[in-house]
Amino acid sequence: MFNITNQESILSYSKKGTLPQVGLTYLVSELEELKASLHHEGEDQFSLVDHGYYMLVVQSEDTCTLTDGDVVVNLLENEPEYVELVELPNGVYMYRACLMPDNECFLLIYALRGALRLELEQWFAEQSGCLAKEDFE
């Protein structure tokens, strides 16, 4: 799992090369929208964590329990606020989920469709309503 807190963390994540460029572009736009909604456009020292937000990118090696510093959440044991499947250019799909483990924290979770462990892929697909039986046979 990778935690995106600011622009620098996205740059660091992009160097790993684990996400297609359209996925990175999508995450940058999501971060910029959050910054704008929190009234921090143009600020260099902005961090989502200061506002109780976490942008977590689930990766292929991750299990159902996501752990990063203060964040520990088992996806299978939590009821998401929403899960959606976002279609990006070039036939790329990403899941986007929101969890609120308490009243002080928003977890925005992103995952590349087709690049997850089976149990995670099934969870995202079921929660988003995009489960096709043939996807998991």
Side-chain angles (χ1 to χ4, degrees), residues 22-40:
V22 295
L24 288 170
T25 301
Y26 175 66
L27 292 176
V28 168
S29 69
E30 289 281 292
L31 177 62
E32 291 304 315
E33 285 180 27
L34 279 171
K35 269 178 79 171
S37 71
L38 296 167
H39 308 291
H40 288 277

Side-chain angles (χ1 to χ4, degrees), residues 56-114:
L56 308 174
V57 182
V58 179
Q59 301 177 70
S60 59
E61 67 273 6
D62 289 327
T63 64
C64 296
T65 300
L66 305 178
T67 306
D68 183 66
D70 295 334
V71 178
V72 178
V73 63
N74 184 319
L75 290 178
L76 303 181
E77 296 175 358
N78 281 276
E79 186 68 33
E81 298 299 313
Y82 64 84
V83 179
E84 61 186 347
L85 183 63
V86 178
E87 183 177 3
L88 304 176
N90 304 327
V92 175
Y93 290 88
M94 284 190 78
Y95 291 109
R96 180 177 186 259
C98 177
L99 276 72
M100 285 182 56
D102 58 45
N103 290 333
E104 313 240 336
C105 178
F106 283 94
L107 302 178
L108 300 170
I109 302 171
Y110 301 85
L112 188 62
R113 184 179 188 194

Side-chain angles (χ1 to χ4, degrees), residues 2 8-19 21 24:
F2 193 84
E8 290 80 32
S9 59
I10 283 185
L11 292 173
S12 171
Y13 182 63
S14 69
K15 292 177 183 174
K16 291 184 171 210
T18 58
L19 200 60
Q21 185 60 45
L24 288 170

